[in-house]
Amino acid sequence: QSALTQPASVSGSPGQSITISCTGTSIDIGSYKFVSWYQQDPGKAPKLIIYEVSKRPSGVSYRFSGSKSGNTASLTISGVQAEDEADYYCCSYVGSSKMVFGGGTKLTVL
Amino acid sequence: QLQLQESGPGLVKSSETLSLTCTVSGDSTSSDDYYWSWIRQTPEKGLEWIGSIVYSGRAFYNPSLRDRVTISVDTSTKQFSLTVTSMTAADTALYYCARRVDTGLGAYFDHWGQGTLVTVSS
């Protein structure tokens, strides 16, 4: 199983909306609605922010949203804030109880 | 509040075997909705799923690591363990244990340990 493809970095000014893409294949993202997203601050463990493509766990800001089209999933942060600066990882189910992550995207808030 | 805590050696010699344990507190490991998982992270590859195990003891592994990895669970002590044989420098990483929720409608990691750094020395 190959890692999902994410841009290495994205940036945006406070208040802007930014989108991070996560491209897989027909055997992972394209076949299942089991996409999740994680936010990782420096020196901390990843934190679940989106599951089942577009659902937010309790306590996660409404500014985070997820979607999927074909083999590509997307994470959108509306009205990006300085506190959103972090690394973001996508993850997908690939069948047979296996999982695969993306390579991660570093978000810089300008 | 569910908590997971990794424990094990921070330094392993090349070609030797790594053994890590994750202790779960605040919840039961006895549910097939939960897959107790190991994930590692390196600066080069980011996060990499190593494998997961359910209460019944059935384990699932990343195909790229399958030949060297074993995950086991002990529900009586609320611990699950990772063993990686023939360690090399490429296995130097931050190792996380995590709970994966797997209900048939979704699969995602909702709780993570703080991670433990494992360095392979020559």
Side-chain angles (χ1 to χ4, degrees):
Chain A
Q1 58 198 53
S2 299
L4 306 173
T5 301
Q6 298 180 235
S9 63
V10 297
S11 63
S13 299
Q16 286 185 328
S17 289
I18 66 96
T19 297
I20 299 173
S21 63
C22 172
T23 302
T25 69
S26 59
I27 67 169
D28 41 60
I29 292 177
S31 290
Y32 304 98
K33 293 183 68 175
F34 296 4
V35 177
S36 52
W37 288 89
Y38 303 84
Q39 177 191 58
Q40 186 177 34
D41 291 323
K44 298 290 184 65
K47 171 191 172 185
L48 176 69
I49 57 172
I50 294 287
Y51 66 101
E52 293 176 20
V53 176
S54 60
K55 297 180 180 179
R56 284 189 310 275
S58 175
V60 173
S61 173
Y62 67 93
R63 297 184 298 101
F64 292 92
S65 62
S67 63
K68 188 189 87 153
S69 178
N71 297 339
T72 299
S74 299
L75 172 72
T76 297
I77 309 175
S78 304
V80 72
Q81 301 177 0
E83 67 199 50
D84 300 329
E85 189 164 285
D87 293 330
Y88 292 85
Y89 292 88
C90 60
C91 181
S92 176
Y93 183 75
V94 296
S96 301
S97 294
K98 296 178 177 58
M99 308 286 282
V100 66
F101 284 95
T105 299
K106 181 177 181 60
L107 169 62
T108 300
V109 181
L110 303 171
Chain B
Q1 175 72 1
L2 179 70
Q3 292 187 317
L4 298 95
Q5 178 68 58
E6 305 89 350
S7 59
L11 189 64
V12 177
K13 291 185 177 180
S14 183
S15 79
E16 293 191 342
T17 297
L18 169 69
S19 293
L20 295 176
T21 296
C22 182
T23 301
V24 180
S25 59
D27 198 356
S28 169
T29 55
S30 302
S31 167
D32 278 351
D33 282 346
Y34 301 139
Y35 285 45
W36 303 97
S37 305
W38 288 96
I39 297 157
R40 68 183 184 181
Q41 184 173 29
T42 62
E44 299 77 24
K45 297 176 70 173
L47 295 171
E48 180 179 32
W49 174 73
I50 299 172
S52 303
I53 191 166
V54 295
Y55 160 70
S56 61
R58 188 175 180 193
F60 308 90
Y61 302 110
N62 186 322
S64 68
L65 298 168
R66 174 193 303 277
D67 291 344
R68 299 193 294 124
V69 169
T70 302
I71 297 175
S72 59
V73 63
D74 185 340
T75 56
S76 65
T77 58
K78 299 181 72 174
Q79 294 180 326
F80 61 104
S81 300
L82 170 70
T83 300
V84 184
T85 61
S86 303
M87 292 282 283
T88 71
D91 296 311
T92 292
L94 184 59
Y95 285 76
Y96 290 102
C97 61
R99 187 180 79 170
R100 171 179 143 189
V101 177
D102 204 313
T103 62
L105 296 177
Y108 50 91
F109 303 97
D110 66 340
H111 287 83
W112 298 64
Q114 65 186 22
T116 187
L117 180 62
V118 176
T119 302
V120 180
S121 67
S122 56

